[in-house]
Each structure stands twice: as structure tokens, then as C-alpha cells.
Amino acid sequence: MPMLEVNGIHTYYGNIHALKGVTISVEKGEIVTLIGANGAGKTTTLRTISGLLKPRQGAVILEGEDLAPYKAHKIVYKGVSMVPEGRGVFAKLTVAENLDMGAFTRDDKKSIQQDLEYVFDLFPRLRERRSQVAGTLSGGEQQMLAMGRALMARPRLLLMDEPSMGLAPILVDGIFETIQAINKEGTTILLVEQNALMALSVAHRGYVLQTGEIVLHDTAANLQQNEMVQKAYLGIE
């Protein structure tokens, strides 16, 4: 049984039909990426999985359980965390307070402290900045904080929306190395990323989304060699 099954979801913004029967699956331990142009429906897919949007048709199944009855904050209790597009840190709270907010589903103080140390080991800069107000961090530091906050919920499934957006190339490499490290520690990841080459370099499998529909699915290695993917998303003529 896949960890995540998204079965034929149709999601709307008012009368705008954003997702038109999207079906994807994610196996435990995988990194799966969704690639596509701006407006293709990638973020909408993640928001539907996380419960921020409800599909009019179709189902989101987590380890055999339909998530339809649950609101977004309850889905976090089920083991799904999201690193949102644009980071979404609590700008007026400190780094430490942001990380505490990530653990709102938990009351196991000893384990929370252990996970806090894990996050600080992943992102030493956050340890240095733990008392700093999040809104004063650099873009790269805020991205680290958003990832760390999501990890503090101890997710089984981590949804990541455009983690490299707005970052300098040298920081992008570090973020993707960290994504791989998180995955090797046992966290399953569904990754949305505009930088398709980087996404496919770390993913096991990928889906290509166009105007709300899945048009291609293959291993990441095969997608990198696919002529349509190369022309449309990798800049290879």
C-alpha cells in the first residue's frame, strides 16, 4: 500500500477548475516530485493533500485512511507537514518560538528537545539565530526555518512547495542536500519545485502536471531523458 494515494481529485477556486482528475501516489521512503509550469496546479495539489483545500471529487488517502473528514490542522496530527511556498514563517516570533510552533501537535517534551537538536544539527545557522526574530532573517535562513518548523511535527510525509524559490544558487545546493538527508533519515517527501533539474536530481519518481492534469509519470532518471521534459522544463533544445 502506498503511503499516499491521490485518486482523481478535482479541486476548484470558485468556478475555476484547477485540478482535473489528478492521480498520484507516493511510496514510503520515496522522494516524489511534481514539476510543471507556473499555474499548472502544483501548489493546489499540495494544498488539497494538506487539507487547506477540499476537492469536489476524488480522494486523498494516507496509509489507507481517507483524509476527507479532517481539517488541515488535524491532518498534521496524522503525520503530514507542509513547507509552504514563500516560507510563511511567523515573522514577529523568534526562531526558537517558530520551531516550538511546529511541535504544536506534541506533548513529549524529551523527544521535542531531541528533535530540536536534530533541526539545529541540520541547520547550524538556526542554532546561532535561535533568539533572533524570524522576520529579520535572510531568505535562505527563513527557508531553513520553514523546513525545521515542519520537521518539528515529526512528519511521516513532508510536503515541500518551491523550497529553492528566491535563493542564491549556492544556497539552493545546500537546501537540496538537506532534502536528501531528511529523506535518508526516513521521511517521505512530495516535492514541488520550479527548478526541475534539481528536483529530478534528488527524486526517485516524478509527475508532470499541465493545466491541472497529469500528462507524464516516470522515474526521475527517465524524465531527465524525456525529450518533452528536456525542452519544456530543463532548457535543453
Side-chain angles (χ1 to χ4, degrees):
M1 177 192 300
M3 173 173 277
L4 176 72
E5 298 174 88
V6 177
N7 296 328
I9 57 172
H10 292 257
T11 302
Y12 290 72
Y13 291 100
N15 293 322
I16 299 172
H17 195 175
L19 299 182
K20 306 165 186 174
V22 167
T23 295
I24 64 173
S25 67
V26 182
E27 299 288 342
K28 185 177 180 180
E30 281 191 308
I31 300 176
V32 173
T33 187
L34 274 176
I35 61 175
N38 287 334
K42 305 186 301 297
T43 293
T44 303
T45 301
L46 293 191
R47 287 177 176 170
T48 304
I49 294 167
S50 67
L52 293 170
L53 297 170
K54 292 295 183 183
R56 292 191 191 176
Q57 294 175 244
V60 178
I61 310 294
L62 181 70
E63 295 184 322
E65 183 177 16
D66 189 346
L67 296 182
Y70 300 106
K71 293 183 178 180
H73 70 285
K74 291 296 185 183
I75 291 175
V76 179
Y77 282 89
K78 296 291 181 181
V80 181
S81 283
M82 185 166 172
V83 182
E85 181 181 7
R87 295 140 202 161
V89 300
F90 298 105
K92 294 184 179 181
L93 300 183
T94 66
V95 167
E97 289 168 338
N98 268 270
L99 295 174
D100 285 343
M101 291 292 286
F104 80 93
T105 61
R106 304 170 57 188
D107 56 12
D108 48 334
K109 291 185 178 180
K110 184 176 179 181
S111 295
I112 289 171
Q113 186 59 40
Q114 290 172 346
D115 288 345
L116 185 62
E117 290 302 317
Y118 168 64
V119 169
F120 284 151
D121 288 343
L122 273 178
F123 304 111
R125 190 71 61 83
L126 295 184
R127 190 191 301 273
E128 298 169 11
R129 302 280 196 272
R130 64 189 303 165
S131 299
Q132 187 169 328
V133 174
T136 65
L137 299 175
S138 69
E141 290 164 347
Q142 288 190 19
Q143 186 62 57
M144 295 172 196
L145 181 56
M147 292 170 66
R149 183 183 59 193
L151 290 171
M152 287 301 295
R154 194 175 275 188
R156 299 196 305 279
L157 175 64
L158 182 63
L159 309 176
M160 305 192 72
D161 195 358
E162 303 285 9
S164 78
M165 180 179 287
L167 300 185
I170 190 169
L171 294 176
V172 172
D173 290 342
I175 289 294
F176 277 89
E177 287 173 6
T178 303
I179 289 170
Q180 288 181 294
I182 293 167
N183 177 246
K184 287 176 181 175
E185 289 290 327
T187 303
T188 304
I189 296 174
L190 178 58
L191 170 67
V192 160
E193 176 54 54
Q194 194 68 29
N195 187 332
L197 184 59
M198 288 296 292
L200 292 172
S201 72
V202 301
H204 300 96
R205 293 186 297 116
Y207 293 85
V208 179
L209 196 57
Q210 288 183 357
T211 58
E213 299 180 86
I214 299 293
V215 296
L216 193 58
H217 165 232
D218 210 330
T219 66
N222 286 345
L223 288 174
Q224 288 188 68
Q225 300 303 316
N226 181 280
E227 185 177 352
M228 184 272 281
V229 173
Q230 288 182 342
K231 288 182 177 179
Y233 305 110
L234 304 182
I236 299 172
E237 294 298 330

